[in-house]
Amino acid sequence: MSALSSPRSFSAPARGRVPAPSQADLLDFARRTAADTELIDSLPLDPEGRTWVRLQGPGGSEAWLIGWPPGTGTGWHDHADSVGAFFTARGELKENALAARLPTDGWKTLELSENVDRERRLPAGRGRAFGRHHVHEVLNESTEEHAISVHAYYPPLPRIRRYSRTGQVLRLEHVERPEDWQ
Ligand SMILES: [Fe+2]
């Protein structure tokens, strides 16, 4: 009897799990999206603060188009257990990052060793991917130009842990849930 199942059910797509997007997939998405000039030009820009538009990322990832007025930045943070990527479409971003794998939970302050700081300049046409627990801050240091970038994270809706930093001491200030961070 089962051999006589209808063509419709026979040809139905398998409901398998979609593989999780890799860092390379997220970076590729961010690169392609940053090249979509119509989309990039559609982002409203505000000289007073960052602007956001949510995008449909690949494989169920969370993606955002972000406008950065001159002099704005994120402050130190990480995306906990999510991996991510971002790509600059306009202007230039700077990323300050820690080249150290930090414990995710169970601490309030950490004294960083010397030589853990890394700086990257990401002008339009450049981006990067990052792994879990990547601690960074992203800035538009320009005094004149907006920057626009595309960001993608997987798993989506990551926790964002925010830190203050005094010299080599990093202090966990609070953990934001996705609903807090627009
Ligand atoms: Fe980030």
Side-chain angles (χ1 to χ4, degrees):
M1 293 285 277
S2 61
L4 299 174
S5 53
S6 72
R8 181 185 296 260
S9 64
F10 186 72
S11 62
R15 285 189 161 264
R17 292 174 63 127
V18 177
S22 65
Q23 291 181 42
D25 294 333
L26 298 178
L27 184 58
D28 185 56
F29 166 82
R31 179 187 294 113
R32 284 186 286 106
T33 305
D36 181 344
T37 52
E38 195 174 330
L39 175 71
I40 300 304
D41 290 341
S42 74
L43 178 68
L45 299 180
D46 177 354
E48 298 300 318
R50 284 186 288 158
T51 46
W52 290 265
V53 170
R54 179 111 187 227
L55 304 173
Q56 190 79 42
S61 59
E62 174 178 338
W64 295 90
L65 183 59
I66 300 180
W68 311 70
T72 51
T74 58
W76 288 96
H77 67 279
D78 70 19
H79 302 276
D81 297 322
S82 293
V83 303
F86 62 102
F87 200 92
T88 306
R90 296 266 201 281
E92 179 174 300
L93 291 175
K94 182 181 175 204
E95 182 198 41
N96 296 322
L98 301 181
R101 183 78 179 258
L102 304 185
T104 308
D105 292 305
W107 59 275
K108 195 73 176 159
T109 59
L110 272 182
E111 184 168 355
L112 303 168
S113 55
E114 304 296 328
N115 307 319
V116 295
D117 285 288
R118 299 290 182 270
E119 285 186 15
R120 279 186 178 78
R121 295 205 168 272
L122 300 165
R126 285 199 56 196
R128 68 158 308 182
F130 54 83
R132 301 162 66 208
H133 313 165
H134 177 65
V135 178
H136 69 170
E137 63 172 351
V138 180
L139 314 156
N140 176 10
E141 291 190 326
S142 170
T143 55
E144 290 161 15
E145 266 196 284
H146 253 85
I148 301 178
S149 54
V150 180
H151 301 245
Y153 309 96
Y154 189 88
L157 307 175
R159 284 187 298 161
I160 295 182
R161 295 180 305 178
R162 295 207 171 270
Y163 305 99
S164 60
R165 181 165 174 187
T166 307
Q168 294 303 100
V169 176
L170 198 64
R171 179 183 178 86
L172 178 65
E173 294 294 343
H174 60 274
V175 179
E176 291 180 13
R177 300 286 161 180
E179 57 270 23
D180 300 331
W181 72 276
Q182 269 201 67

